Amino acid sequence: MNAVEATSRYFKQAVRILGLDSRLERCLLIPFREVKVECTIPKDNGSLVSFVGFRVQHDNSRGPMKGGIRYHSAVEPDEVNALGQLMTWKTAVANLPYGGAKGGINCNPRDLSVHELERLTRIFTQKIHDLIGIHTDIPAPDMGTDAQTMAWILDEYSKFHGHSPAVVTGKPIDLGGSLGRVSATGKGVLFALEALLADHAKCISNQSYVIQGFGNVGSWTAQLLFECGGRVRVVSDITGAVKNEAGLDIPSLIKHVQKAGGVAAFPGADYVDPNGIFAEECDVLIPAAIGGVLNKYGT
C-alpha cells in the first residue's frame, strides 16, 4: 500500500462515519493542482545535474494552501500527494483558515554543498513562483530543509513579486520568522505524549524512550524529554544508532551532531544496529524520521 492509498483509506473511513456523499468524497480526494518541474543546476565542479521537484496543492476551500517542502531521496508524487491531503485534514481539524499542500525535490541534501542547495532552491522557486503566494500557497520547512531554505525561497520569490515575507513560514527571525517555530513540532510531540501518559496515570519522568530520527523533530523531542526527566535510551539517524542504558546525555549528543553531522561515534554511548532499533526495550517508541516505518514487516 503506497502513501496515497494509505491516506485515502483512512479518509474513506472518516467519510463513512460522517455520512458524506460520494460526490463530495471524490472532490476532496482529487488535488486542486499537481505540479512537476525539472531543476537543472551547475555543481561546484562545473558539471550539470538535474533534479525533479513537486508541489501538490490539495485544497483551498478554507483558505490559502499550506504545507512544507522537503528535500529527500524518497520524494515522489504519491508521497507528496498524500502529505498534501494530510495537511488539508490537519488544518481543518485544528480549525485553522488554511488548506493543504506539500512539496519537495528528489535529492539527497547531504550530497550537495550549501551553494548547490541554494542554486537548487532558487531554480525550484523560479519554476513555481507564480503558483505560490501569501493568499494562494504558503510553503514551510520540512525534512531536509530549514530556515535558510525558506530565506532563499523568500528572496527569489521577492525578485518577481516584491518583498513578500509572508510567502513562507519557518524563515529566520531577522526576516520576520516566529519565535519558537523551530521547537514547535517537538513540543507538539511532548504535549501529545503528556496527555497520553496522563490517561494511564503515568508521567514523562518515569519512562524510557527510543527515538528513530534525530533531525529537527527528533532532536527537539529528545531535548524536551531530557529536560522533563525522561530517560532517552536509544537514538538513531541516517549515520547510525547509539545507546546508553542509563540515558543519553542529550545536550552533549546535540553538540556532537552539530560537529560530526550525525549521532554515530558519540563518545557517551555504545553503537547499536539502527536496523534493530524497533526491537530495543522501552516504554515509549517515537518514530521521528520518514513515514511508513511501522508496518506488517516490523521495519
Side-chain angles (χ1 to χ4, degrees):
M1 183 181 297
N2 64 34
V4 171
E5 292 171 339
T7 303
S8 298
R9 178 171 177 265
Y10 291 116
F11 172 73
K12 290 177 180 179
Q13 290 178 358
V15 164
R16 289 195 294 272
I17 293 172
L18 294 170
L20 301 182
D21 63 58
S22 58
R23 183 189 63 82
L24 183 57
E25 176 185 348
R26 286 194 299 272
C27 288
L28 290 173
L29 278 176
I30 300 173
F32 173 78
R33 181 187 287 126
E34 295 183 67
V35 180
K36 177 181 178 181
V37 297
E38 171 269 333
C39 301
T40 298
I41 62 167
K43 297 201 70 178
D44 292 343
N45 62 11
S47 64
L48 295 178
V49 61
S50 295
F51 302 93
V52 178
F54 306 92
R55 188 67 178 174
V56 172
Q57 297 172 326
H58 181 256
D59 187 89
N60 63 353
S61 58
R62 292 176 53 85
M65 292 167 283
K66 186 84 184 72
I69 292 177
R70 60 175 48 185
Y71 290 178
H72 193 272
S73 56
V75 169
E76 47 86 26
D78 281 344
E79 180 200 46
V80 178
N81 196 324
L83 294 170
Q85 280 192 46
L86 289 173
M87 282 303 300
T88 296
W89 316 141
K90 286 193 289 185
T91 53
V93 167
N95 197 26
L96 299 173
Y98 293 105
K102 205 73 175 186
I105 300 176
N106 186 293
C107 68
N108 184 350
R110 297 174 69 91
D111 292 341
L112 300 174
S113 71
V114 172
H115 295 301
E116 291 166 344
L117 285 170
E118 179 178 358
R119 293 182 204 122
L120 180 58
T121 302
R122 290 183 181 277
I123 193 67
F124 180 58
T125 306
Q126 291 171 18
K127 297 294 182 74
I128 67 168
H129 75 87
D130 55 344
L131 302 176
I132 62 176
I134 61 176
H135 300 298
T136 309
D137 180 5
I138 306 166
D142 200 278
M143 184 187 304
T145 57
D146 55 19
Q148 179 60 74
T149 315
M150 297 303 106
W152 290 328
I153 293 175
L154 166 57
D155 185 61
E156 196 66 26
Y157 179 87
S158 296
K159 292 179 182 178
F160 297 93
H161 303 276
H163 185 54
S164 308
V167 72
V168 291
T169 57
K171 53 192 169 287
I173 302 300
D174 291 345
L175 294 178
S178 299
L179 293 170
R181 194 275 167 200
V182 176
S183 62
T185 309
K187 287 183 177 178
V189 175
L190 179 71
F191 297 156
L193 182 55
E194 285 179 330
L196 174 64
L197 292 175
D199 287 343
H200 298 274
K202 297 179 180 180
C203 62
I204 297 289
S205 61
N206 294 326
Q207 313 304 317
S208 62
Y209 303 89
V210 168
I211 302 177
Q212 184 206 32
F214 208 67
N216 177 271
V217 179
S219 62
W220 272 104
T221 299
Q223 175 68 34
L224 294 166
L225 291 173
F226 179 84
E227 293 174 358
C228 292
R231 182 164 58 96
V232 181
R233 295 181 59 254
V234 185
V235 162
S236 74
D237 67 5
I238 195 170
T239 67
V242 291
K243 174 180 179 178
N244 188 317
E245 289 289 353
L248 292 161
D249 182 343
I250 299 301
S252 296
L253 178 58
I254 291 174
K255 291 179 181 178
H256 170 80
V257 170
Q258 290 171 343
K259 292 180 179 179
V263 303
F266 176 54
D270 299 319
Y271 177 83
V272 294
D273 182 2
N275 295 319
I277 190 171
F278 290 156
E280 290 287 340
E281 183 179 350
C282 63
D283 296 308
V284 180
L285 170 66
I286 302 176
I290 61 174
V293 296
L294 300 179
N295 52 54
K296 66 181 181 180
Y297 303 108
T299 58

